[in-house]
Amino acid sequence: MRRRSFIKSFFFSFFATFPAFFKAGSTSALKSAAPISADRSVPQVKSLFGDRTLLDSTDIHIDLPEIAENGAVVPITISTNLERISKLFLWVEKNPTPLIAELEFDESAAIFVTARIKMAESGFVTVIAQQGEALLRRQKWVDVMQGGCGTG
Amino acid sequence: MKNLGTKIRIQRQSGHTEIKLLVSHPMENGRNRDSISGQLIPAHFIQKIDLQLNGKTVVAAKLGAGVSKNPFFTFRLKQTNPGDRITVRWIDNLEFEDNIEHIIE
């Protein structure tokens, strides 16, 4: 009985860990070289960062309209005074292609960016900032009146 | 290909230099249909934008099709001096590209 359960758990852990390895490999490739793909199967935040902890930080400022009339053009401003930020990831969870942008900053650039993004429907906009090895997160909810065409 | 233009406007402000970038680009995600023919419009969007200061990349952006049509971005540099060269270049998934250069006065 004990041996059987051991074997069982071994197999479970084997199958549970290996796809994770595979995923981690493919997403790190995405992070380093490949541009963001147009296809639907862009990995979710979780697979983009694996099991790394995301710390919520109010020091990342996101300016977004609370209500967006037109989901095709939603203005966003991201800024922070935190030191040692090397990357920003901009993620819109409800979009068919959630990863909107990945920005890499040199020391001579201020961590400040404005953009106009598409939102398919109401949902959270997530900004993840990489500070050294740590990942900081800030989320903001946006009500989208009309997703319409051209979104995602 | 119609009207893929790139414009930048650079302003030195107290404490930083602001760079505004406007590109005329359809940013099609490949899921929209042509209203007349009903055919899918092929994906066509900017994948990379590089902002360089004197030849060194200071902001490197990878974009998806979730950026709105005719992308408009603002970036800030901590410090610039007169004579510094600012270059912005972009490339899309169909390998169209453009770059624009500006010397700070």
Side-chain angles (χ1 to χ4, degrees):
Chain A
M1 185 58 197
R2 189 178 270 182
R3 197 182 72 169
R4 181 161 299 178
S5 66
F6 170 75
I7 291 169
K8 226 185 213 173
S9 66
F10 175 78
F11 268 94
F12 266 107
S13 61
F14 181 85
F15 282 111
T17 47
F18 263 72
F21 269 123
F22 178 74
K23 261 187 199 164
S26 64
T27 51
S28 67
L30 177 133
K31 268 193 271 181
S32 60
I36 298 164
S37 91
D39 110 50
R40 270 164 200 272
S41 59
V42 168
Q44 295 298 309
V45 164
K46 204 168 178 185
S47 51
L48 185 61
F49 299 108
D51 284 330
R52 295 171 63 186
T53 351
L54 300 173
L55 303 167
D56 283 302
S57 166
T58 50
D59 292 324
I60 300 165
H61 306 290
I62 311 177
D63 254 7
L64 269 169
E66 278 173 26
I67 299 169
E69 299 272 336
N70 179 3
V73 184
V74 183
I76 179 170
T77 303
I78 306 163
S79 63
T80 177
N81 289 323
L82 291 170
E83 299 282 319
R84 297 187 299 115
I85 301 285
S86 56
K87 275 187 178 183
L88 289 180
F89 298 85
L90 177 55
W91 187 271
V92 178
E93 58 174 5
K94 291 288 176 62
N95 280 6
T97 324
L99 185 58
I100 288 194
E102 183 186 326
L103 302 141
E104 214 175 320
F105 293 91
D106 180 80
E107 281 169 4
S108 48
I111 309 300
F112 175 94
V113 62
T114 75
R116 299 190 296 211
I117 61 174
K118 300 174 192 169
M119 290 186 73
E121 52 185 295
S122 303
F124 277 111
V125 173
T126 307
V127 171
I128 293 162
Q130 187 172 338
Q131 184 184 43
E133 286 300 299
L135 295 170
L136 309 173
R137 173 177 61 184
R138 184 80 194 264
Q139 288 189 309
K140 220 158 189 189
W141 180 271
V142 177
D143 280 319
V144 177
M145 296 291 104
Q146 191 184 14
C149 65
T151 49
Chain B
M1 274 321 279
K2 50 185 176 187
N3 196 24
L4 295 189
T6 312
K7 288 176 190 164
I8 49 172
R9 177 150 299 166
I10 295 173
Q11 221 174 16
R12 293 183 79 195
Q13 299 173 347
S14 65
H16 60 258
T17 301
E18 195 156 273
I19 295 152
K20 291 196 162 98
L21 169 70
L22 179 64
V23 187
S24 301
H25 199 284
M27 297 302 280
E28 279 296 343
N29 55 25
R31 285 185 293 272
N32 294 322
R33 286 186 186 277
D34 187 299
S35 55
I36 299 161
S37 67
Q39 296 289 309
L40 278 175
I41 303 167
H44 185 201
F45 58 96
I46 296 176
Q47 284 184 309
K48 282 184 182 176
I49 295 179
D50 257 14
L51 172 67
Q52 296 183 332
L53 174 63
N54 297 326
K56 185 187 174 211
T57 301
V58 287
V59 180
K62 286 183 209 164
L63 306 182
V67 175
S68 303
K69 184 180 171 183
N70 300 334
F72 174 70
F73 286 97
T74 311
F75 301 109
R76 280 181 186 172
L77 298 181
K78 284 176 186 162
Q79 203 193 347
T80 54
N81 298 308
D84 279 351
R85 182 164 44 92
I86 287 176
T87 318
V88 176
R89 59 180 69 227
W90 59 258
I91 182 160
D92 67 25
N93 63 326
L94 303 179
E95 297 190 348
F96 289 98
E97 56 178 72
D98 195 9
N99 64 76
I100 189 163
E101 205 173 271
H102 185 95
I103 309 280
I104 292 177
E105 289 166 1

